[in-house]
């Protein structure tokens, strides 16, 4: 999942666009309970579509088969808290696992139910880790405490092999600085691949490697790639957990600096009357399309009731209240609305916005 994919999923679809959201069980060894639950949900989809006069029987069958194909693409060994399946006419289907619980439901509409995906995407800390090496430079995707290798988009990057026939010439060139140029060319390949990834999914970047590799990287990358932190040392063959642990201090330092910068931005916005604080005030301005930069504490959730068009926060955890006027989490509603209007969302540590009632907004005007 990346920002481009999420944006595409939130666009309208032909009816019926079907979303299936299902809690899963991390602790279940065989997954039997989850398979039964999913089979029942797909049966509900089939009944609803065949009973819907707006849906032709063939279209209903195609969408159900799309959901079945999506479910088959999920690795059952991947522990998660929820499964999200989407399918629409013309063969479109998607499957996602997310690390936060969802309410079990089937939604048939002219678009996919993406709110839980948006919440999981925006609330989970994300970063890239680039591990430089003479042999194989690898890119890793950091999502919360998990680190997985990103093996596409040109990664991993390996130096061009030296064929035996030219070994003598290569040896002479190396003595004349040719090996250094070969290393720079490999690094140019690394930077080109990295820029393509960042253009699609921009996150903080941590660069790991020995000093000479980092120096060549800085020389080739220039000012176009912003480095959030560095880890010195060779990490050839290091496990994902070892890499994540090595990157943790650099990420913590980056987060500290970023949060200080956010506070300065909020104070500057307050001085020119482009500031709002507190859920009710922020919600009103966001729904008018005026949200430029939303800042919210990562652990802030707030169910609410909509009364005469106004959101009224209530005590309790999301999902407890039921009813047509209930918004499970007004904070996620605000986040999704800011993104709808092309705004930016930044999460900060819990307690960091104590003087802003846990949520604050820089407005466009």
């Amino acid at each position: 999942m990346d920002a481009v994919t999420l944006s595409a999923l939130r666009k309208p679809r032909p009816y019926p666009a079907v979303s299936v959201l299902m809690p899963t069980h991390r602790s279940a060894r065989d997954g039997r309970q989850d398979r039964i639950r999913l089979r029942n949900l797909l049966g509900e989809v089939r009944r609803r579509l065949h009973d819907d006069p707006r849906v032709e029987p063939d279209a209903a069958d195609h969408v159900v088969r799309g959901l079945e194909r999506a479910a088959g693409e999920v690795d059952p060994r991947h522990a998660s808290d929820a499964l999200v399946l989407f399918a629409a006419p013309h063969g479109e289907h998607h499957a996602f696992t997310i690390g936060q619980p969802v309410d079990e439901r089937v939604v048939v509409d002219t678009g996919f139910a993406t709110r839980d995906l948006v919440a999981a995407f925006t609330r989970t800390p994300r970063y890239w880790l680039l591990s430089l090496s003479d042999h194989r430079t690898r890119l890793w995707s950091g999502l919360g405490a998990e680190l997985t290798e990103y093996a596409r988009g040109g990664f991993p990057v390996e130096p061009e092999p030296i064929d035996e026939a030219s070994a003598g010439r290569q040896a002479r060139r190396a003595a004349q600085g040719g090996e250094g140029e070969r290393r720079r060319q490999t690094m140019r390949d690394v930077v080109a691949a990295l820029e393509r990834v960042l253009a699609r999914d921009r996150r903080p970047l941590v660069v790991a490697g020995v000093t000479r590799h980092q120096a060549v990287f800085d020389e080739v990358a220039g000012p176009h790639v912003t480095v959030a932190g560095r880890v010195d040392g060779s990490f050839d063959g290091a496990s994902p957990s070892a890499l994540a642990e090595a990157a943790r201090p650099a990420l913590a330092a980056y987060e500290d600096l970023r949060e200080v910068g956010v506070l300065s931005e909020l104070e500057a916005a307050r001085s020119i009357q482009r500031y709002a604080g507190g859920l009710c005030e922020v919600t009103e301005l966001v729904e008018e399309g005026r949200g430029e930069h939303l800042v919210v504490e990562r652990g802030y959730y707030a169910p609410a009731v909509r009364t005469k068009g106004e959101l009224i926060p209530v005590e309790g955890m999301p999902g407890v209240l039921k009813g047509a006027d209930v918004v499970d989490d007004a904070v996620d509603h605000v986040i999704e609305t800011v993104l709808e209007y092309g705004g930016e969302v930044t999460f900060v540590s819990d307690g960091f916005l104590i003087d802003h009632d846990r949520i604050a907004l820089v407005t466009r005007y």
Side-chain angles (χ1 to χ4, degrees):
M1 169 65 66
D2 55 46
V4 174
T5 301
L6 187 60
S7 177
L9 288 171
R10 293 166 60 233
K11 294 178 180 178
R13 258 67 178 180
Y15 188 88
V18 179
S19 307
V20 175
L21 297 99
M22 186 187 85
T24 54
H25 298 80
R26 288 178 180 266
S27 58
R29 291 185 178 273
D30 60 0
R32 182 171 178 272
Q33 183 178 352
D34 289 341
R35 289 196 297 273
I36 294 172
R37 173 178 277 181
L38 178 59
R39 186 167 62 245
N40 291 339
L41 286 172
L42 294 181
E44 179 186 340
V45 172
R46 186 176 289 105
R47 286 191 298 273
R48 286 179 58 175
L49 294 184
H50 281 286
D51 290 345
D52 191 330
R54 295 170 291 178
V55 183
E56 295 293 329
D58 284 349
D61 291 338
H62 282 134
V63 171
V64 172
R65 283 198 292 271
L67 290 170
E68 291 171 344
R69 285 194 293 271
E73 294 171 1
V74 176
D75 185 350
R77 297 168 299 178
H78 182 76
S80 65
D81 293 307
L83 174 66
V84 180
L85 304 177
F86 297 142
H90 313 302
E92 182 183 9
H93 65 275
H94 309 274
F96 303 94
T97 56
I98 58 176
Q100 65 179 46
V102 300
D103 291 331
E104 180 178 299
R105 62 194 187 276
V106 170
V107 180
V108 183
D109 206 337
T110 55
F112 296 136
T114 59
R115 179 164 299 179
D116 291 286
L117 280 187
V118 170
F121 179 82
T122 54
R123 289 182 183 272
T124 304
R126 309 165 69 82
Y127 66 96
W128 296 112
L129 190 149
L130 183 69
S131 179
L132 303 173
S133 167
D134 276 331
H135 309 294
R136 172 182 280 195
T137 291
R138 306 164 81 182
L139 184 65
W140 300 80
S141 172
L143 302 177
E146 295 184 4
L147 197 64
T148 55
E149 185 172 4
Y150 186 88
R152 54 189 186 277
F155 286 100
V157 178
E158 299 179 0
E160 287 292 329
I162 302 174
D163 62 87
E164 294 182 2
S166 62
R169 293 194 303 272
Q170 291 289 348
R172 288 192 297 272
R173 289 175 55 202
Q176 300 169 0
E179 185 62 27
E181 177 54 33
R182 180 169 174 264
R183 185 177 295 118
R184 279 190 291 273
Q185 181 55 53
T186 301
M187 196 64 75
R188 282 191 281 269
D189 294 340
V190 169
V191 170
L194 179 64
E195 288 179 338
R196 289 193 295 270
V197 172
L198 292 175
R200 181 178 178 87
D201 189 359
R202 186 161 293 279
R203 312 180 195 174
L205 171 68
V206 176
V207 179
V210 297
T211 302
R212 63 185 176 86
H213 290 155
Q214 299 224 24
V216 177
F217 174 82
D218 291 343
E219 174 190 337
V220 173
H224 306 296
V225 176
T226 301
V227 177
R230 298 181 186 273
V231 183
D232 293 326
S234 175
F235 292 92
D236 280 348
S239 67
S241 59
L243 276 169
E245 182 62 24
R248 191 167 54 83
L251 286 168
Y254 168 77
E255 287 297 318
D256 289 345
L257 287 174
R258 188 182 62 86
E259 289 184 344
V260 170
V262 163
L263 277 188
S264 299
E265 182 182 356
L266 292 177
E267 292 307 318
R270 196 199 297 265
S271 69
I272 58 174
Q273 286 77 54
R274 288 179 51 197
Y275 164 89
L279 185 58
C280 293
E281 185 178 354
V282 165
T283 300
E284 181 178 352
L285 294 171
V286 163
E287 290 182 342
E288 294 174 2
R290 293 174 60 185
E292 180 176 281
H293 186 187
L294 179 72
V295 184
V296 59
E297 291 185 1
R298 195 173 299 279
Y300 184 30
Y301 299 87
V305 176
R306 190 177 288 279
T307 304
K308 297 179 180 179
E310 183 180 358
L311 277 180
I312 308 298
V314 295
E315 294 294 328
M317 289 298 294
V320 175
L321 297 178
K322 303 296 180 184
D325 297 328
V326 171
V327 177
D328 279 346
D329 184 6
V331 177
D332 278 347
H333 167 75
V334 167
I335 292 167
E336 191 169 30
T337 306
V338 168
L339 295 175
E340 287 279 359
Y341 282 102
E344 178 186 359
V345 179
T346 296
F347 284 89
V348 294
S349 306
D350 289 344
F352 197 77
L353 296 177
I354 190 169
D355 295 330
H356 303 268
D357 204 12
R358 305 198 70 183
I359 188 168
L361 182 72
V362 178
T363 64
R364 290 193 167 96
Y365 54 90

